[in-house]
Amino acid sequence: MAARRVVAPGTHSGAMTATVRQVQVTFDCAEPERVARFWCEVLGYVVPPPPTGFDSWDAFDSALPRSTAARRSRA
């Protein structure tokens, strides 16, 4: 008896194809800085220094127009 080749549905050669799905999740929290530090540690992310001319990211945020700074604090 000859062996039968099983072909996966939706493929022509029987080769399996991977489906990649990108997902973005947003968390609302009372302490965003604390959550950000946690995820930086977990993912090995290093926060870049503030832009030239600013001593801190808070100073940079304070220099932004009010509507932009408000959007950034909610992000």
Side-chain angles (χ1 to χ4, degrees), residues 2-17:
R4 284 182 34 191
R5 181 174 161 188
V6 178
V7 177
T11 64
H12 298 288
S13 65
M16 299 299 286
T17 58

Side-chain angles (χ1 to χ4, degrees), residues 8-44:
T11 64
H12 298 288
S13 65
M16 299 299 286
T17 58
T19 301
V20 177
R21 189 178 281 176
Q22 197 172 31
V23 177
Q24 182 176 4
V25 179
T26 303
F27 294 93
D28 187 15
C29 60
E31 299 179 62
E33 286 287 328
R34 186 175 178 195
V35 173
R37 283 193 307 271
F38 167 80
W39 283 110
C40 285
E41 182 71 25
V42 169
L43 300 174

